[in-house]
């Protein structure tokens, strides 16, 4: 039996702060519930000083999720730490996670501080956090590019001041595996008092090495790893939780650790995050991609039919992936539908069951067979947590070969109908233009992707759109046989989120006047990653 490795999930903090992955409070809570089912050991719920929304999310997660440790991030100063601690008040097992950059590059260009000043700040911040909370983590940001002797001094200062976990981030995804492993081995050997402290990895994927570096850190002595579902996170992302967990599960012969993760919840966690953020994983993504267990080549199919271990090192149910066969048709009842949703990791409330069933029967009337992807699409379309401000009642487009297309749109809001039309180069742009004219919140498309859902001629188009409204990005997704309709509805979803969120921010400032936290919320939203 291997030593126990702690899984620190930062999907709701490092993951959520990456552009396009933002979630509202209810979405964060739903994700936190799933992370609890997955059995993560530590759940980093946010960066409370960064925004009122982050503070509220950490507080709400602390109130409801009782089993894992709940961590909140703070820069190395009293104001940040107080804010993190106030958000953690209700937590059963709180942790303050404080960080300060230690590389010469960050000291010179970002902090404009000397090494001595930074050492003092570390001692103060960790000591102050420890005076409030018995569980304190310290991260020397950009440890991967920090001079090794100075890093040892910083770690020593943190341990002396009472840090219980030391996390060594490769903030910019720069390290190669032997370097990252060596850093852990050296810190463990040279920092006095390390026997009382848990060492932790935190890796980014800029060179595609985040998971490999995490495993290297474990070999170097780390017993906590920081990671996110689907590997979401700053720039190229963080280390993907599902990949590390399954590497440890499959190769327990070669790795000295084991995790407490319930692997059967991995697929549901990945799907839920995709639903919450609108950011899908690529088809060939390890462990949770649509093709991760698909065998196309005849020779492979033959082998798998004879014995799956010929070409499969993981059986799909181990990660909670059910087979992708036809599941339901128009004669299927509510019970079968609910059961299938549960197999897909989606638990529905009674009103949600009714809504899903009605959408399912509509779809089953149009389509002979309903697939898992269709069921997921139904829930995505029917259960958006942002209240629908405008509903699409009707739209018509005329596409012309001379390059101009026209769209006429009818939207309804609070029982009132609004009509408008616009022309553009293509029918989708024309539909977006007409929607903008009605919502009066024009957006710019940042990303537009189409793929087919379900096999063969029975497949439908799923359009995912990311658009920028007043500097902030929102996403929408819709599935239909008609690509233009799917695009218009996906865009309207994003526009509804924008109208809702921008009004919420305006209402907040009208209610309270601009508070420092509120300003932070705006800064954070308009300049993500700018802390
Ligand atoms: O990448 C990083 O250095 C971080 C720290 C705040 C831990 O996310
Ligand atoms: Zn990070």
């Amino acid at each position: 039996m291997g030593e126990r490795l702690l899984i620190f999930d930062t999907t709701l903090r490092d993951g959520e702060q990456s552009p396009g992955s933002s979630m509202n409070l209810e979405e964060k809570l739903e994700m936190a519930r799933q992370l609890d089912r997955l059995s993560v050991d530590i759940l980093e719920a946010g960066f409370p000083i960064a925004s009122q929304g982050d503070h509220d999310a950490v507080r709400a997660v602390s109130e409801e999720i009782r089993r894992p440790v709940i961590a909140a991030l703070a820069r190395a100063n009293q104001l940040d730490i107080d804010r993190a601690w106030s958000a953690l008040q209700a937590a059963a097992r709180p942790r303050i996670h404080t960080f300060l950059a230690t590389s010469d590059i960050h000291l010179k260009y970002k902090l404009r501080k000397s090494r001595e000043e930074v050492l003092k700040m570390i001692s103060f911040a960790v000591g102050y956090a420890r005076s409030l909370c018995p569980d304190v983590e310290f991260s020397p940001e950009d440890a991967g590019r920090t001079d090794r002797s100075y890093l040892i001094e910083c770690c020593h200062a943190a341990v002396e001041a009472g840090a219980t976990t030391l996390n060594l981030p490769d903030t910019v995804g720069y390290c190669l595996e032997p370097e990252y492993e060596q850093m852990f081995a050296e810190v463990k050997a040279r920092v006095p008092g390390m026997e009382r402290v848990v060492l932790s990895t935190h890796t980014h994927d800029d060179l595609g090495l985040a998971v490999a570096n995490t495993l290297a850190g474990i070999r170097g002595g780390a017993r906590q790893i920081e990671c996110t579902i689907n590997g979401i996170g700053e720039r190229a992302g963080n280390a993907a939780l599902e990949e590390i967990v399954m590497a440890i599960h499959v190769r327990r012969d070669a790795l000295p650790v084991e995790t407490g993760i319930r692997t059967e919840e991995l697929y549901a966690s990945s799907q839920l995050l995709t639903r919450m953020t609108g950011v899908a994983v690529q088809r060939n993504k390890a462990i949770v991609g649509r093709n991760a267990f698909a065998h196309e080549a005849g020779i492979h199919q033959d082998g798998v039919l004879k014995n799956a271990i010929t070409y499969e090192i993981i059986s799909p149910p181990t990660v909670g992936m059910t087979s992708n066969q036809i599941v339901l048709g128009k004669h299927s009842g509510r019970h079968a539908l609910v059961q299938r949703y549960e197999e897909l990791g989606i638990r529905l409330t009674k009103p949600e069951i009714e809504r899903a069933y009605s959408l399912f029967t509509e779809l089953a009337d149009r389509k002979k067979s309903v697939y898992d992807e269709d069921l997921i699409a139904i829930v995505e379309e029917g259960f958006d947590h942002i209240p629908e401000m405008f509903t699409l009642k009707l739209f018509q487009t005329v596409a012309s070969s001379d390059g101009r297309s026209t769209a006429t749109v009818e939207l309804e809001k609070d029982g009132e109908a609004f009509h408008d039309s616009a022309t553009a180069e293509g029918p989708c742009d024309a539909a977006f233009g007409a929607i903008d004219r009605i919502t009066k919140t024009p957006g710019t498309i940042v990303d537009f992707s189409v793929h087919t859902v379900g096999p063969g001629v029975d497949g439908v188009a799923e359009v995912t759109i990311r658009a920028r409204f007043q500097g902030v990005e929102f996403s929408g997704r819709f599935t239909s046989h008609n690509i233009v309709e799917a695009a218009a509805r996906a865009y309207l979803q994003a526009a509804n989120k924008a109208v809702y969120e921008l009004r919420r921010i305006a209402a907040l400032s009208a209610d309270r006047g601009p508070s420092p936290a509120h300003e932070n919320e705006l800064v954070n939203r308009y300049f993500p990653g700018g802390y």
Side-chain angles (χ1 to χ4, degrees):
M1 244 206 182
E3 266 183 67
R4 182 70 154 72
L5 180 77
L6 299 173
I7 305 294
F8 177 117
D9 180 275
T10 183
T11 306
L12 297 181
R13 199 279 298 170
D14 217 354
E16 201 262 350
Q17 79 188 37
S18 67
S21 299
S22 57
M23 288 174 250
N24 63 29
L25 181 69
E26 196 38 57
E27 289 167 338
K28 284 186 187 172
L29 262 176
E30 200 167 337
M31 199 62 221
R33 290 180 198 120
Q34 178 58 31
L35 292 169
D36 191 16
R37 279 194 283 276
L38 181 64
S39 223
V40 302
D41 298 290
I42 301 107
L43 194 168
E44 187 164 53
F47 186 10
I49 195 81
S51 71
Q52 186 63 38
D54 257 38
H55 182 276
D56 294 349
V58 174
R59 194 177 48 199
V61 170
S62 299
E63 277 164 6
E64 186 182 321
I65 309 292
R66 312 304 290 170
R67 185 196 51 79
V69 170
I70 306 298
L73 188 69
R75 286 169 300 191
N77 65 61
Q78 185 167 349
L79 194 69
D80 274 41
I81 293 171
D82 283 339
R83 192 93 180 119
W85 186 234
S86 106
L88 286 168
Q89 279 312 291
R93 302 169 66 201
R95 172 180 296 184
I96 297 175
H97 176 191
T98 184
F99 73 100
L100 183 61
T102 52
S103 67
D104 285 335
I105 299 172
H106 279 235
L107 262 60
K108 181 168 174 196
Y109 296 107
K110 188 179 86 171
L111 300 176
R112 302 208 165 90
K113 294 207 183 296
S114 67
R115 286 187 173 187
E116 290 66 37
E117 284 173 299
V118 165
L119 271 174
K120 281 197 189 123
M121 286 172 76
I122 294 173
S123 299
F124 168 77
V126 174
Y128 181 62
R130 251 325 277 271
S131 73
L132 304 173
C133 178
D135 186 346
V136 173
E137 171 169 334
F138 174 69
S139 294
E141 191 190 11
D142 206 15
R145 291 190 301 172
T146 298
D147 169 73
R148 192 56 51 82
S149 299
Y150 182 59
L151 179 68
I152 303 285
E153 280 186 67
C154 293
C155 291
H156 190 185
V159 173
E160 267 198 327
T164 45
T165 300
L166 253 189
N167 177 44
L168 304 181
D170 180 18
T171 303
V172 291
Y174 174 78
C175 292
L176 301 179
E177 293 161 74
E179 295 162 352
Y180 200 59
E181 177 175 345
Q182 178 61 24
M183 176 164 67
F184 281 81
E186 251 188 80
V187 168
K188 200 172 167 190
R190 289 178 54 194
V191 176
M194 283 308 295
E195 61 290 345
R196 289 176 272 118
V197 176
V198 176
L199 264 178
S200 168
T201 66
H202 181 109
T203 58
H204 281 267
D205 210 28
D206 300 67
L207 294 175
L209 292 173
V211 170
N213 278 342
T214 300
L215 298 180
I218 295 171
R219 287 195 296 274
R223 289 298 175 264
Q224 171 182 291
I225 57 146
E226 301 195 354
C227 47
T228 59
I229 300 293
N230 294 342
I232 65 165
E234 285 286 352
R235 307 179 308 280
N238 289 57
L241 180 150
E242 61 279 2
E243 295 179 20
I244 302 163
V245 164
M246 288 314 293
I248 291 168
H249 182 87
V250 171
R251 295 309 311 272
R252 41 192 177 272
D253 59 316
L255 291 161
V257 289
E258 62 183 40
T259 75
I261 291 294
R262 297 185 56 219
T263 60
E264 336 64 84
E265 292 290 340
L266 287 171
Y267 185 61
S269 306
S270 165
Q271 286 290 317
L272 181 67
L273 184 65
T274 295
R275 245 182 337 118
M276 297 288 115
T277 60
V279 180
V281 297
Q282 81 262 22
R283 278 168 186 253
N284 62 333
K285 162 89 176 62
I287 316 298
V288 291
R290 186 179 295 193
N291 288 357
F293 299 97
H295 303 279
E296 180 71 30
I299 198 166
H300 287 207
Q301 287 178 347
D302 179 54
V304 168
L305 287 174
K306 287 177 176 145
N307 189 334
I309 61 168
T310 50
Y311 287 100
E312 267 181 15
I313 58 166
I314 302 167
S315 75
T318 309
V319 298
M321 202 181 266
T322 48
S323 74
N324 206 19
Q325 290 148 8
I326 299 168
V327 288
L328 299 165
K330 68 177 179 181
H331 301 297
S332 309
R334 275 183 187 68
H335 183 70
L337 184 71
V338 171
Q339 190 173 330
R340 193 59 182 168
Y341 272 120
E342 281 184 2
E343 284 164 6
L344 289 168
I346 299 170
R347 291 157 185 88
L348 302 178
T349 60
K350 276 202 176 129
E352 285 172 341
I353 293 171
E354 289 314 309
R355 173 102 182 105
Y357 189 69
S358 124
L359 290 169
F360 161 72
T361 48
E362 260 174 49
L363 187 68
D365 264 345
R366 282 188 276 132
K367 253 178 130 234
K368 253 200 329 269
S369 321
V370 178
Y371 299 86
D372 288 351
E373 293 95 337
D374 296 317
L375 297 184
I376 290 164
I378 282 175
V379 171
E380 282 168 3
E381 288 150 22
F383 300 97
D384 205 333
H385 294 287
I386 299 286
E388 216 170 23
M389 316 279 290
F390 292 94
T391 334
L392 183 69
K393 286 289 159 202
L394 183 113
F395 94 110
Q396 276 179 333
T397 52
V398 182
S400 151
S401 59
D402 78 0
R404 292 311 283 174
S405 299
T406 310
T408 304
V409 168
E410 181 185 321
L411 302 185
E412 191 183 280
K413 181 169 167 284
D414 303 331
E416 199 183 337
F418 300 85
H419 302 258
D420 220 318
S421 48
T423 55
E425 291 289 311
C428 294
D429 276 341
F432 304 157
I435 290 172
D436 283 350
R437 289 167 71 99
I438 298 174
T439 61
K440 300 197 173 35
T441 310
T444 312
I445 300 294
V446 177
D447 198 25
F448 183 116
S449 66
V450 187
H451 73 265
T452 48
V453 174
V457 288
D458 212 20
V460 290
E462 180 184 79
V463 174
T464 307
I465 282 180
R466 279 225 323 274
R468 191 174 296 120
F469 299 83
Q470 296 183 22
V472 192
E473 282 183 24
F474 296 90
S475 63
R477 182 139 53 127
F478 206 88
T479 311
S480 166
H481 281 286
N482 179 332
I483 294 183
V484 184
E485 184 198 347
R489 288 187 186 273
Y491 182 77
L492 184 62
Q493 255 182 30
N496 271 330
K497 289 182 187 173
V499 172
Y500 174 81
E501 190 68 10
L502 295 171
R503 277 197 196 158
R504 195 180 68 84
I505 290 175
L508 267 178
S509 82
D511 280 359
R512 307 188 201 145
S515 63
H518 174 58
E519 277 160 26
N520 263 319
E521 168 155 10
L522 293 176
V523 170
N524 196 40
R525 289 202 169 272
Y526 285 80
F527 307 102
Y531 67 90

